[in-house]
Amino acid sequence: MEQRKRIVVFGATGRTGEHVLTQSLEEGYDVIAYVRNPTKLSLQHARLTIMQGDIFNEEQVHHAIEGSDAVLCALGVPMGSKLPVCSVGTQNIIQAMKRNGVNRLIVITGLGVKRTRGDINWFERAFLTLFLCLDQAAADDKEIQEDLIEESQLDWTILRPPWLTHGKKTSRYRVGMGESVHPTLISRISRRDLAECMVQQITDRTFIRQAPYVMY
Ligand SMILES: NC(=O)c1ccc[n+]([C@@H]2O[C@H](COP(=O)([O-])OP(=O)(O)OC[C@H]3O[C@@H](n4cnc5c(N)ncnc54)[C@H](OP(=O)(O)O)[C@@H]3O)[C@@H](O)[C@H]2O)c1
């Protein structure tokens, strides 16, 4: 009998992370939710282990990842936060994965990181640049996060959603890059659908070491 896969979800109390958590349990995984505040999680499940910790704590992150098969990262910060949660957090995750011999990493970043700006027209680019200036620290943090992931040598996949909504799960979205999936500033995806895509990446190796958009 095949052993159940064990995954770790970072950002599991977040608006996307909560769906990643429920959907990965529905898919039959053993799930470690690494959270700062366990009281935010009302979910109880026989295959769910809640570990309390901060992403800045290297040792705790190491213990969360020990013995797992894949890591899903839906970390983020509220607007205006200057904390390097995505970059330093991802650095800690990558180090812990290497220490534990865990290879599969799936992370959400988004439309807006510098290297995605060539995929939108000049007007949209100008708008997005202005918008991101309102939260420059978070935008810079995401850039560093992507660099760290790409340099990691792990089996990573970066998912780049455009605007996220609280809409329902449709399972009807596109995942890809280039001509096949081309975002605009009005592109959308629900957090539930993004979570589904993220969970699928655990076993789907189509986008290993790639950073596709995921959107309607
Ligand atoms: N909003 C959009 O339209 C949009 C578009 C494209 C991409 N994105 C990206 O998508 C990702 C997910 O977005 P979201 O709205 O679902 O995020 P969110 O609701 O803000 O959730 C962020 C998660 O990160 C956790 N976190 C923050 N600091 C932490 C720390 N020091 N230690 C441990 N955990 C920490 C939060 O924990 P707490 O609950 O304890 O705070 C929360 O679980 C983000 O990276 C965001 O930038 C968003």
Side-chain angles (χ1 to χ4, degrees):
M1 201 175 86
E2 202 186 332
Q3 214 189 345
R4 281 200 308 258
K5 273 194 187 329
R6 173 174 152 147
I7 65 159
V8 188
V9 181
F10 291 95
T13 50
R15 290 163 293 180
T16 308
E18 64 169 321
H19 300 300
V20 175
L21 199 57
T22 49
Q23 293 188 39
S24 49
L25 287 165
E26 282 163 17
E27 286 300 312
Y29 293 107
D30 287 334
V31 183
I32 312 287
Y34 184 87
V35 300
R36 290 192 291 189
N37 182 358
T39 61
K40 277 192 173 179
L41 283 182
S42 51
L43 187 66
Q44 289 187 342
H45 196 287
R47 279 183 280 102
L48 172 64
T49 305
I50 298 171
M51 280 186 70
Q52 183 171 18
D54 195 289
I55 199 65
F56 292 110
N57 187 318
E58 284 174 52
E59 252 342 271
Q60 282 177 332
V61 171
H62 161 69
H63 285 307
I65 288 175
E66 208 169 16
S68 66
D69 298 290
V71 174
L72 279 64
C73 173
L75 288 169
V77 288
M79 188 104 181
S81 167
K82 302 236 180 311
L83 289 175
V85 167
C86 291
S87 59
V88 176
T90 300
Q91 176 68 19
N92 289 345
I93 289 171
I94 289 169
Q95 267 172 17
M97 288 178 70
K98 289 187 170 172
R99 225 171 123 185
N100 285 296
V102 181
N103 249 321
R104 188 73 179 109
L105 173 64
I106 302 137
V107 183
I108 305 170
T109 64
L111 175 63
V113 287
K114 251 186 218 123
R115 60 202 82 180
T116 67
R117 294 188 206 169
D119 292 340
I120 49 180
N121 68 38
W122 69 267
F123 174 75
E124 294 182 318
R125 195 153 51 241
F127 178 86
L128 195 60
T129 304
L130 269 177
F131 178 78
L132 292 173
C133 277
L134 299 174
D135 205 2
Q136 194 61 53
D140 293 345
D141 194 42
K142 284 270 182 208
E143 308 266 337
I144 300 169
Q145 180 184 34
E146 284 209 352
D147 287 343
L148 290 166
I149 296 165
E150 290 179 9
E151 288 159 11
S152 71
Q153 306 290 324
L154 296 171
D155 285 348
W156 55 266
T157 299
I158 294 172
L159 293 178
R160 289 176 172 155
W163 304 118
L164 299 178
T165 75
H166 290 292
K168 55 189 181 190
K169 184 172 152 194
T170 68
S171 303
R172 291 166 62 189
Y173 48 84
R174 295 171 296 150
V175 192
M177 297 147 292
E179 291 302 307
S180 64
V181 185
H182 209 77
T184 71
L185 280 195
I186 57 165
S187 303
R188 299 272 184 280
I189 183 148
S190 76
R191 289 180 161 90
R192 287 176 175 82
D193 276 333
L194 174 59
E196 179 186 75
C197 180
M198 204 172 186
V199 173
Q200 274 173 7
Q201 302 310 308
I202 300 168
T203 49
D204 187 339
R205 299 188 63 83
T206 311
F207 295 106
I208 294 281
R209 300 197 180 166
Q210 292 184 50
Y213 293 108
V214 48
M215 61 191 223
Y216 297 127

